[in-house]
Every structure is written in structure tokens, then in C-alpha cells.
Amino acid sequence: MITGHLCMPSYSEPPTPLRDDDYLYTSLETSSCDDLENIHSYIKSGVLMSARFNCLRKKREEIARFLKNHADDDLSNHINSLRGFARSNGGLILDQYRAQIWPVLARRLVTSAEDEDVDDHDGYSFVSGTNSSVELSLAQNTMETEEEDCLRGHPEWHQVELDVNRTLARFPPNISDDRRYTLQCQLTPLIVRVLRTNPRFRYYQGFHDVCLTVLLVCGVETAFEVCRSLAHHGPFRSYLLKSLEDSVLKELEFLYVILSRVDPHLERVLREVRLGTMFALSWPLTWFSHSLNEYQQIVRFFDVFPRFTTSNPYIRICCNCSQKEICNINM
């Protein structure tokens, strides 16, 4: 019987430093970085590289202009434009834009009929796009006044804390030890608060990777709102409510079916060596944040989480199949 606490290997060392050509591939091919100004020094030649850099710069300027023009608006009224930025080439480009846009996208996740049975038991209503600023303030004040001793009484606290203490390699290399320690101290209570919003939620190893990515981008207060929405209406809902056998492993059964259509040779090789699907388990559970070495790649994947909701879980498996391109698997 496979339970929600199925162990996945943790990184024990930071990834190997990138070569110049790898840096270009990571920064320009994934089109997501916080150091656009520094990319130019890496571009030694090539019209294609220059064109990609210019496209990133133009999109960054376009997003900045959009946010400035609508600074006094409710961004939920412009949800289609925000979704367009997130899913088009380059994604949301910078974390400062993600911190503004991810909460809006999270509040407007497309939900399915099975989401209607969401059972909230956290003492206050979920802050949706239609809630007033007073309700938002009350929710935040409630979070701030919660005693950690109460959270420590949650049955999942110990397991969450163990996983959080193993997240060293998940932090970007430019984060100081003090900042990393602060984030780790915030991460465990954040996850347990999300779990408390539905008594049926059961923590699985890997959900801490999801919450850490959101925490790094949004900060602890906004991260709770985003993670809560992802847990209730996003791609991680079924993993928190069901055993891994009845959720993610069933989804991964379709991986070989899709591969047989898009890459028959790879599908044949994988079947011949009887690889199974366990090698891909962490991809949907952590939305690739446990598997990709580069922070820029991880946040680029998270830009498109509104498209991978419970309304169509098999779209996620299509993305899992395309992971072979990201990892440069050469069979």
C-alpha cells in the first residue's frame, strides 16, 4: 500500500554550476529570470540569442506597463490578460511581477464539479476575488494571532517539519543563511495552516516543495492565500485528499499511452527496460520543483498552474511527457 508519505530522494548537494551555453539555454529557452540585465554579457554571438533576449526585454516592459496602467484597478477584472502573460513565451519574467499576479491567478482557478464539496474548517472563509478588504484583513489578522503551539498539535506537523528541514538544496544560491532559516521557520506553519483548512487533507511528501516555491516568490502572508487555493482548487487537491495509488499513480498510467503517440521510440525503450512510472512520481506531486535544478525553470512552470487544475488532470500528464525534452533524455 502506497501512502501519502511515500519517500522521494532529497538533493544532498547543490547542482553543478552551469556552463555559459547552459546558462543561455536556461535563461533564454525557459524565458524566465530575475537577472535580465546580466544576460547580455553572456550573449557572445548569434542573431537568435539576441532576438530571444530582445523578446524577453520587450515582454518585461509590456508587463511593467500593464501593471502601472492598472495600478488602481482590481486585477481580477483583467484575468484574461494576466493568464495570457503567464502562458505565453517568457511567462511572467520577474518574481516581482509574479508576487502581484500569482495571487490573482490563484483566486480565479478554473474548478470542476468535484470541487464543490470543499469543506473549510479554519475559522474563516477563504479570501476570494469578491471578498472585501475588511474580510481580507480579518483573515490575515487571524493568521498572525494563531499560536504555533496549536499548529504543532496537528497530526502532520512532525512529518512536515522533517521534510522542511531537508529543503536546503531548494533555495536559490544567493539567499543568505539567515534568510533561509527564516523561510524554513515560516514554511512549516504555512503548510500546516493549509492542511487545517480541510480536515480531509493529508500531507504528502513533496507538497512542501510546492509551498516553498510560492513562499519564495510571494512572502508568507500571500503564500497562504495562493497555496490554499492550489490545495482546494488546483492540481494538488486530489493528492491531498486521496492515497497516491488512487490519484497520481492512476494519472501516470496514461504517460505511456501519450508517449506512444508523440515519441514511439522512447515509449518502446522505456517499456523494454520495464522502467514503470515511479521515476516520474515527483513531477506532478511537486510540479517539477523537486526535479529541476534551476530556480528560473521552476517558477516558469508555476506561471502556468492555472491551466492545470482539477478540471482536466490529464493535461498535467501531457506536460509530464514533455519533461523528456527539458531533461534532454537521449535514448
Side-chain angles (χ1 to χ4, degrees):
M1 177 70 177
I2 298 176
T3 68
H5 295 307
L6 183 67
C7 290
M8 294 181 295
S10 297
Y11 292 129
S12 58
E13 297 179 0
T16 303
L18 294 175
R19 302 187 307 272
D20 282 359
D21 55 344
D22 289 333
Y23 182 90
L24 279 173
Y25 176 82
T26 299
S27 299
L28 297 179
E29 193 68 26
T30 62
S31 301
S32 176
C33 54
D34 275 339
D35 52 354
L36 278 173
E37 300 296 342
N38 297 327
I39 291 181
H40 195 68
S41 63
Y42 285 86
I43 299 179
K44 299 177 180 179
S45 63
V47 175
L48 181 58
M49 291 300 182
S50 296
R52 287 176 175 172
F53 171 75
N54 289 331
C55 286
L56 279 181
R57 182 172 56 188
K58 288 179 180 179
K59 186 171 185 183
R60 180 184 64 175
E61 294 170 352
E62 182 182 1
I63 296 176
R65 185 165 53 251
F66 178 89
L67 293 175
K68 181 179 179 181
N69 292 340
H70 299 286
D72 298 327
D73 298 351
D74 180 356
L75 288 179
S76 296
N77 295 329
H78 306 282
I79 188 65
N80 289 333
S81 296
L82 299 181
R83 287 170 176 164
F85 286 135
R87 64 174 175 253
S88 59
N89 290 341
L92 298 177
I93 307 293
L94 300 178
D95 279 358
Q96 68 186 71
Y97 302 152
R98 293 186 175 97
Q100 291 181 259
I101 296 174
W102 278 8
V104 182
L105 296 178
R107 288 196 296 266
R108 297 291 297 273
L109 287 172
V110 180
T111 59
S112 63
E114 72 173 16
D115 290 342
E116 299 302 322
D117 67 345
V118 171
D119 190 7
D120 292 331
H121 286 259
D122 202 34
Y124 54 89
S125 300
F126 174 51
V127 182
S128 69
T130 58
N131 287 135
S132 67
S133 59
V134 174
E135 289 173 308
L136 175 59
S137 177
L138 287 173
Q140 291 176 336
N141 289 338
T142 302
M143 284 172 48
E144 292 171 357
T145 57
E146 280 183 330
E147 294 292 338
E148 188 170 293
D149 288 344
C150 179
L151 294 175
R152 285 180 177 274
H154 192 279
E156 304 280 11
W157 175 278
H158 180 64
Q159 181 62 47
V160 172
E161 191 172 46
L162 288 176
D163 287 349
V164 167
N165 290 336
R166 293 196 292 259
T167 57
L168 176 62
R170 277 293 326 280
F171 289 90
N174 60 334
I175 287 185
S176 67
D177 290 342
D178 289 343
R179 176 60 176 158
R180 177 180 57 79
Y181 176 76
T182 299
L183 289 168
Q184 285 183 307
C185 290
Q186 294 173 339
L187 184 56
T188 300
L190 167 65
I191 296 170
V192 174
R193 286 189 179 108
V194 173
L195 296 175
R196 288 182 64 218
T197 61
N198 188 330
R200 295 165 54 204
F201 281 163
R202 294 295 178 266
Y203 172 77
Y204 67 85
Q205 190 177 40
F207 188 59
H208 68 295
D209 285 301
V210 174
C211 294
L212 174 58
T213 300
V214 178
L215 178 62
L216 286 168
V217 170
C218 297
V220 65
E221 302 299 345
T222 306
F224 173 75
E225 177 188 349
V226 174
C227 292
R228 190 180 190 280
S229 184
L230 290 175
H232 282 271
H233 303 296
F236 312 104
R237 171 182 165 82
S238 63
Y239 310 151
L240 292 166
L241 289 176
K242 304 175 184 178
S243 69
L244 299 186
E245 287 178 324
D246 292 332
S247 57
V248 64
L249 291 179
K250 280 190 174 181
E251 292 178 7
L252 287 174
E253 290 176 1
F254 288 86
L255 188 148
Y256 283 90
V257 177
I258 298 172
L259 277 180
S260 67
R261 299 296 184 92
V262 299
D263 195 331
H265 174 68
L266 177 60
E267 185 266 346
R268 184 171 60 255
V269 171
L270 294 180
R271 287 193 184 277
E272 287 176 354
V273 299
R274 298 182 180 180
L275 191 59
T277 59
M278 294 298 290
F279 71 93
L281 183 62
S282 69
W283 298 353
L285 288 180
T286 69
W287 200 228
F288 303 102
S289 60
H290 188 83
S291 306
L292 297 173
N293 289 339
E294 289 304 308
Y295 174 78
Q296 289 80 16
Q297 292 177 323
I298 294 170
V299 292
R300 177 66 185 98
F301 263 94
F302 273 68
D303 284 344
V304 297
F305 64 68
R307 301 187 67 188
F308 301 94
T309 62
T310 56
S311 60
N312 194 342
Y314 301 113
I315 295 179
R316 301 197 293 273
I317 304 305
C318 293
C319 192
N320 291 335
C321 292
S322 69
Q323 173 75 338
K324 72 181 183 67
E325 300 294 341
I326 299 169
C327 295
N328 292 321
I329 294 177
N330 185 14
M331 295 293 185

